[in-house]
Amino acid sequence: MPGREILRIDNLSVAFKTGEGLRAAVNGVSLSLTSGEILGLVGESGSGKTILSLAAMGLLPRNAVVTSGRVDFAGANLLTARPDVLRKLRGK
Ligand SMILES: Nc1ncnc2c1ncn2[C@@H]1O[C@H](COP(=O)(O)OP(=O)(O)OP(=O)(O)O)[C@@H](O)[C@H]1O
Ligand SMILES: [Mg+2]
């Protein structure tokens, strides 16, 4: 029996503010994970694996901007969730 969907990322784009304007780091990534499923991210250095993962946990650096998309975890929109909600989801 397939597991329940727990994480859904739709069309997520992240850019960095730089002296020369916004620089894209993640471009339109979508993925879905069911409870208990493991997903490996593979790509060359600088392709955006870490920034995608940090965005999915609401831990982006201050100079990062989410320019499109959404991240839903267990029914909560992580990109707009309050800090106390995020802390609870991340656990210890
Ligand atoms: N704090 C930051 N400020 C500006 N640009 C950043 C910052 N962190 C990452 N970047 C840029 O975002 C892009 C994606 O970087 P990221 O660290 O996600 O790559 P990665 O796939 O995890 O690479 P690696 O395999 O080396 O860990 C790169 O162009 C990187 O230079
Ligand atoms: Mg990395």
Side-chain angles (χ1 to χ4, degrees):
M1 191 178 83
R4 188 169 57 90
E5 181 179 71
I6 189 147
L7 174 69
R8 182 179 194 88
I9 297 178
D10 279 317
N11 192 35
L12 185 70
S13 297
V14 181
F16 282 98
K17 294 177 201 158
T18 75
E20 294 107 49
L22 282 182
R23 285 293 165 89
V26 171
N27 290 305
V29 173
S30 300
L31 62 87
S32 167
L33 278 180
T34 56
S35 185
E37 190 179 9
I38 295 170
L39 175 75
L41 291 175
V42 180
E44 65 186 271
S45 183
S47 60
K49 305 179 296 293
T50 292
I51 297 304
L52 172 65
S53 307
L54 291 177
M57 292 188 292
L59 290 172
L60 283 171
R62 284 182 198 283
N63 57 335
V65 190
V66 174
T67 54
S68 79
R70 53 181 297 139
V71 178
D72 291 293
F73 182 79
N77 179 353
L78 294 193
L79 298 181
T80 56
R82 292 200 319 264
D84 57 318
V85 174
L86 288 174
R87 267 197 299 276
K88 220 176 229 173
L89 287 173
R90 290 182 197 126
K92 293 178 182 167

